[in-house]
Amino acid sequence: MEVATGWVYGSVPPTPLPRASATPRAALDDAIRPALVAGRCYVTFSGGRDSSAVLAAATALARREGHALPVPITRVYGDLPETDESDWQRAVIDHLGLTEWIRLELGGGESDLLGPVARATLAQRGLLWPPALQTHGVLFQHLRGGSLLTGEGGDAVLGARRVTPLTGLLRTRRPDRALLKHAAYAVLPRPGRRRFARRASQASPQHRWLRPAAFEQHVRLLSADMAAEPLDYGAATRAIPRQRAFATIVHNHTAAAAEYGVRASDPLLDPRFVAALARFGGHTGLLGRTATMQALFSDVLPAAVLARTTKASFNRAHAGEATREFARTWDGSGVDEDLVDPEQLRRVWLSDRPTMATGVLLHSAWLASERAAV
């Protein structure tokens, strides 16, 4: 089911988080420091808020403690304007006073989910989630022997929680209708929240290729996860790294990088930082993503970066000509037809709105075609 939907459901068993006595920034420093002291340290840097926060925190820590400055590394897709964040990137680089910046100009299908890099690793590893990891060799090969920090998990860890609308009500004299609606949802019992979550889940892109019964199962699983979020900010924050999606990302990213001799870590998902943020936010937390960014990173990032609401899209970067050529000639094998409509899936791959959620299906289909050709 998870191959068909391109999503990982549920949570892993709880494990105790470290006792949080430090501030979130001090805990983040503790998560970042090993990468700085171990040698050359790189930070994947798109210009978005998450990667900017990690780069800024790492730079500030390096200067305070006398380590070599981290090196931002950016993947550039010159022919895809929706991926361009160069203005935001330059604003952050200039603000931090960094002079070394690696910009990888990707072409020739290097980022395509069926480009030469992805095919080589796919043949070696088999299926892997998230599927974009199959293309990361083009990045990792430049970093051999070094450490790599990412901003993975920032949207969730630094974002709003179920309790956030209630916090807004407490701090707003004249709440608008939308805030009242979200606050009412927050206090519903779980069955009521699940009904609302099911309604929201109906808009998920999986309806484009799943059979009706499979899509209904996807909605049921997704809405159950959404409705399980605790009301307490601290408890909800501590639950984020336990989501199987994030646990899988951290494990697979670390393992994939290690194949190239790269020590990769995701400090925004580090248990020390998560525990400190949960303690810092208390029961009610802050007023959402921007307020959290401002509370944690206003000393190291420009105000405009802290408050930005735009976000680049990279879906087309992973669905290039190699993917489209395979889709045109694909015989429909390699996917579970009880769950997936092959012709609808082909249309998604060939459309101008591809989605990474079909990436594992694409890889499964390609592996089946390779086996059939032997």
Side-chain angles (χ1 to χ4, degrees), residues 348-371:
V348 173
W349 289 339
L350 293 173
S351 77
D352 59 1
R353 295 185 300 115
T355 169
M356 285 294 292
T358 61
V360 181
L361 281 170
L362 178 69
H363 287 161
S364 179
W366 182 81
L367 286 172
S369 72
E370 289 295 291
R371 288 191 294 268

Side-chain angles (χ1 to χ4, degrees), residues 200-212:
S201 301
Q202 294 289 337
S204 63
Q206 283 80 359
H207 76 273
R208 297 170 63 192
W209 65 88
L210 290 180
R211 304 282 190 192

Side-chain angles (χ1 to χ4, degrees), residues 94-107:
D94 289 348
H95 185 83
L96 298 179
L98 294 173
T99 57
E100 188 173 4
W101 179 15
I102 299 174
R103 291 166 54 84
L104 295 179
E105 301 274 353
L106 299 184

Side-chain angles (χ1 to χ4, degrees), residues 61 87 115 147 171 210 241 330 368:
L61 177 62
D87 290 343
S147 297
R171 303 179 188 180
L210 290 180
W330 177 49

